[in-house]
Structures are given as structure tokens and as C-alpha cells.
Amino acid sequence: MISLAIPNLTGNERKYLINCIDTTFVSSVGEYVTQFEKMVAEATGSRNAVATSSGTTGLHVALNAVGVKHGDLVILPTFTFIASANAVRHCGADPWLMDVDTSTWCLSPEVVASEIREHCEQRKDGLYHRESGKRVAALMPVYTLGNTPNMLAFRVVADKYNLPLIVDAACAIGATFNGQSFGSLAELSVLSFNGNKTITCGGGGAVVGNCEEQTELVRHLTTTARVWPDYDFDMVGFNYRMTNIQAAVGCAQMERLSSFVTVKRNIHQYYKINLEELTRKGITFFPSTEGSSCWFSGIVLPAGETLKMAKHICSLLKEDDIEARTFWKPVHLQKPYGNCPKSDISVSEDLWQRIVTLPCSTNITEEELAKVVISIKKIVGKLL
Ligand SMILES: *Cc1c(COP(=O)(O)O)cnc(C)c1O
């Protein structure tokens, strides 16, 4: 079976893990955690990084740190992985779901600006959503596939309404915007190092940012808000720290970041070039913004096709021993989020049904890629 996206662990992972056991530093303190934070800060162009137990806990603690509270709203694209919405809900807040842009699959800054103009009023203590009476507490774009939306436009909106800009950069390690790493574009950006991401720690995450006060608050919150040396706690904190074992794997992975990102970009290009003839049938490819980290690759079925066809193609690929999947079902269609405030979400509603993700592990071989291309051509040729 050619897998969709599996870890590539042929570097120093084993060596560093053995070192954790030999030194007994297996828990949330250790040299690998410190080293991993340094590597992540550098790779994202951020002054500070705080390693967390997962991307989801990183998002939760970041939203918590900027003051998202029970009863608030957080502006979020509906086309994202469910964890983005869960992090908002874990704060007791609701996502205010908006649409994405077809050229990036990211939240559209124009949509956000016009929705705020139309539905909000500025009061002394913040921006309020008129219909629900709720305070809008943060603006949270997602770097879908490692693509970046126009972050300068988001900065304008965030500054105008005094909203903290928190980015779900879970799948974006290695991405750049205007030639620079993304760490300084938002107050806090949150990464994931889950098993299917470009860099994995097994599980893990990181919150990065430039404001020391903010990242130190994040660090404090992830470590139960303990005031050392005694058992004093000055806030309701979390146990969200990454362990040295996770970070050991992460350090070995980060040593190979640039080669992994290069491979991801090459896979994206490979499909685009070698499946070019399918564009005559209306097939398109995943968008990639300049500097995209190209986390996932795949095809988009022609307009008018639906989820049923995407699933059918996946099952036919499986018969050829190729793992392919559909992609994120929008948040507003998920049971826990059906009643959240939302704007017109027609792009997301149509788009998600037509996506087929294709194998894109960093250890995929040329031969395997060629096999995927042959199989896709055969299947699409018959069906469309
Ligand atoms: C992977 C992912 C997450 C969740 O990260 P975990 O480490 O699995 O908790 C959140 N948001 C997006 C967009 C993701 O791709």
C-alpha cells in the first residue's frame, strides 16, 4: 500500500530517544525540549517558542492567553480541521464561521472585513456581534495546506478593531510569506507535530510569537501556572507541556526540515506536471501560494461533482493499493457546530466535496509517485 502521509524517521530519532532513556529525562523537562523550542523559533522566524503536547492544546492555550472567554466569538474559517473549532469551544467560546478564498483555501480577509462591517458594532469594551450580542475576542485564520492568505490585510483588520490575531499554522512549518517565515505575522501562531504533519514528534505542538510577555504567559499556562519552588499556583493552568521524549523525535525531525519541505513541494509539482492532461476534464490541483510548505497534495474534481465521486475515486485507488482520502468537512456541517453564527459559506460548502488527497509522504519513492499517476489517469479517464 502506498500510504497517504506517514512519518519519515530515518534520521537521529532512535539515537535521541535512547538518550532520553539513558539519562532518565523522559518527562516535560529536558535538553531536547529546550533545543526543540530553539529550532522551532528559528524555523518560524519567531523570537520565542513554547512546545506543547499537541497542536490542539497549543491553540487552546494561545486563545486562553489572549483573553478568549466563555460566551465570546472567535472568527474562524469553516473550512478547517475540527481541532481549530474545538480549541475555541474549549475556551467556552463559539467560532463565527466564515468562507475561504478559492486561490488559497484560507480565510478570506475581504470576507472578514465586510462581515465585521455588516454585523458588528464597536463598544467601549470591545467589538460586538449584533445578532448574538457576543463579544468578538479574536481573529483566527488557518494556513491551510501551508498556504498563507494575505496577512497584511488581516493585520489591517486586526489593528482596526483591536482583535488579537492568532493563526492556526498547524500544517505550515516551512512556509513563508513575502519571502519571510511567518512567525511575526500574528500575535501567536500555533503549529502541530502530529504524525501526519511535515515534521512529527509523534504528537506535539508549539506556540510561537515575538512578544515575550505573551509567550511567557503561554509557557506559564502550559505548566499548571505554578509559581516555584512550592506548590503555589496563580491561575487556572493546564498540563500541556511537551515531553522530552516527544521533543527528542522533534529535534531529529527538525534537522531535516528543509529537505522535507523541498520534497513536499516537489511532490506537489510532480502531480501538477504529470497529471496535466486531466485539466482538459476539468480537474485542478491544490492551490499553493508563493512559499507554501505544500503539506498535502492532490486533485480537485470538476465543478458539479460531489463527495460521492470523490469517495468512489478513493475506493478505486485503494484497489490499486494506493491510499487516498477526502479532506476536511467544514465545521458548520459538524454536529457540535451546526448552530454557530456563520456568514455565506458557499465556497467551502462546494469545495470540500471535490477534494481527493494523494500520497505525499516525504519518503515516497519516484516509482510510487509514477504508480499513483498511472492509476489516477486510468480511473479519471474512465469516470469523467
Ligand atoms: C493537525 C491540525 C490541527 C491539530 O493538531 P493536533 O496536533 O493533531 O492536535 C489543528 N489544525 C489544523 C489545521 C491541523 O491541520
Side-chain angles (χ1 to χ4, degrees), residues 53-57 59 80-81 83-84 142-143 168 170-171 191-194 196-197 203-205 295 328:
S53 55
S54 74
T56 309
T57 59
L59 287 167
T80 183
F81 182 57
S84 326
V142 177
Y143 291 156
D168 180 342
C171 43
L191 297 108
S192 163
F193 302 103
N194 189 38
N196 66 354
K197 299 300 200 273
W295 171 50
W328 299 336

Side-chain angles (χ1 to χ4, degrees), residues 7-163:
N8 182 340
L9 302 167
T10 50
N12 286 320
E13 289 82 1
R14 181 189 301 265
K15 181 174 147 198
Y16 295 167
L17 279 172
I18 289 170
N19 187 251
C20 288
I21 292 166
D22 288 347
T23 60
T24 77
F25 278 92
V26 294
S27 197
S28 55
V29 174
E31 57 171 317
Y32 291 120
V33 177
T34 312
Q35 176 64 18
F36 184 66
E37 288 179 339
K38 242 170 89 181
M39 291 171 111
V40 170
E42 191 178 315
T44 55
S46 320
R47 244 172 257 144
N48 318 298
V50 180
T52 57
S53 55
S54 74
T56 309
T57 59
L59 287 167
H60 183 198
V61 75
L63 291 171
N64 203 287
V66 298
V68 175
K69 292 192 173 59
H70 191 88
D72 286 341
L73 292 178
V74 172
I75 295 173
L76 188 74
T78 189
F79 185 66
T80 183
F81 182 57
I82 192 81
S84 326
N86 288 345
V88 172
R89 203 38 97 57
H90 292 329
C91 295
D94 268 336
W96 176 6
L97 300 167
M98 297 190 190
D99 216 350
V100 296
D101 194 290
T102 48
S103 63
T104 62
W105 293 4
C106 296
L107 184 64
S108 155
E110 292 75 28
V111 165
V112 172
S114 85
E115 285 296 310
I116 291 179
R117 265 200 309 274
E118 200 174 322
H119 297 282
C120 293
E121 63 182 50
Q122 189 82 53
R123 297 189 202 151
K124 271 200 298 291
D125 61 336
L127 185 71
Y128 279 80
H129 180 251
R130 251 187 245 107
E131 289 94 77
S132 66
K134 293 179 176 201
R135 182 179 75 116
V136 181
L139 175 53
M140 185 168 148
V142 177
Y143 291 156
T144 311
L145 305 171
N147 288 345
T148 47
N150 182 352
M151 289 305 288
L152 303 177
F154 274 124
R155 173 49 60 201
V156 170
V157 176
D159 288 351
K160 179 168 177 190
Y161 298 105
N162 200 19
L163 290 174

Side-chain angles (χ1 to χ4, degrees), residues 48 50 211-221:
N48 318 298
V50 180
C211 169
E212 179 106 25
E213 202 179 318
Q214 226 159 21
T215 49
E216 278 315 299
L217 175 59
V218 167
R219 189 181 300 282
H220 188 56
L221 283 166

Side-chain angles (χ1 to χ4, degrees), residues 80 82 328-339:
T80 183
I82 192 81
W328 299 336
K329 181 177 178 176
V331 173
H332 71 277
L333 298 175
Q334 306 287 355
K335 200 170 159 195
Y337 298 103
N339 293 325

